[in-house]
Amino acid sequence: MAAYEFTISVRTQYLAEQSDPDRSNYVFAYTITIKNTGKVAAQLISRHWIIVDGNNRIEEVRGLGVVGHQPLLAPDAQFEYTSGTVLATPHGSMKGTYFCVAEDGEKFEATIPEFILSLPHTLH
């Protein structure tokens, strides 16, 4: 087990009631679980997302914290939040990193593995 490590898992959902396919507006929610699988308590400071739609249009999003929080996670503790994004196509993907600082001052990045955003039954 590494001293500094967050493990990220993701669940996604297409929000049909908020989407408007006639206007190329596809709304997706994603629920992220961040678990401190390291040996040292650490705080999530900021995020960096790379969002790619079905036309390979790339959008990068950077910001402090997640949904207004900068959670401090003790070893084995976890934090879960739900957020969303709008794509111009019925499918795309997201990946990124969280910038974190451990209690002892060590800085590290936690990788958010790439996940697919897709309407049900439209994967190609």
Side-chain angles (χ1 to χ4, degrees):
M1 167 168 45
Y4 311 102
E5 183 175 64
F6 281 3
T7 300
I8 317 297
S9 60
V10 184
R11 295 188 317 274
T12 64
Q13 181 182 3
Y14 172 63
L15 302 178
E17 66 282 358
Q18 294 180 31
S19 298
D20 187 353
D22 292 337
R23 292 204 166 105
S24 296
N25 243 8
Y26 299 89
V27 181
F28 296 89
Y30 52 89
T31 300
I32 306 251
T33 303
I34 303 162
K35 182 171 184 177
N36 186 345
T37 49
K39 297 177 181 164
V40 179
Q43 185 171 19
L44 187 158
I45 303 298
S46 63
R47 68 192 182 282
H48 175 213
W49 285 109
I50 299 169
I51 306 165
V52 182
D53 72 13
N55 297 324
N56 283 325
R57 190 179 67 85
I58 297 171
E59 179 185 1
E60 290 196 52
V61 177
R62 296 174 191 270
L64 288 176
V66 289
V67 293
H69 297 277
Q70 291 180 315
L72 174 63
L73 299 176
D76 290 325
Q78 66 182 37
F79 180 81
E80 184 175 278
Y81 73 95
T82 300
S83 189
T85 193
V86 179
L87 297 180
T89 60
H91 55 268
S93 66
M94 291 178 65
K95 64 181 177 181
T97 52
Y98 294 126
F99 173 72
C100 308
V101 177
E103 254 181 355
D104 62 8
E106 185 72 26
K107 297 173 177 71
F108 66 99
E109 284 192 341
T111 299
I112 307 161
E114 184 173 29
F115 56 94
I116 300 299
L117 301 166
S118 183
L119 267 66
H121 314 300
T122 61
L123 276 177
H124 62 272

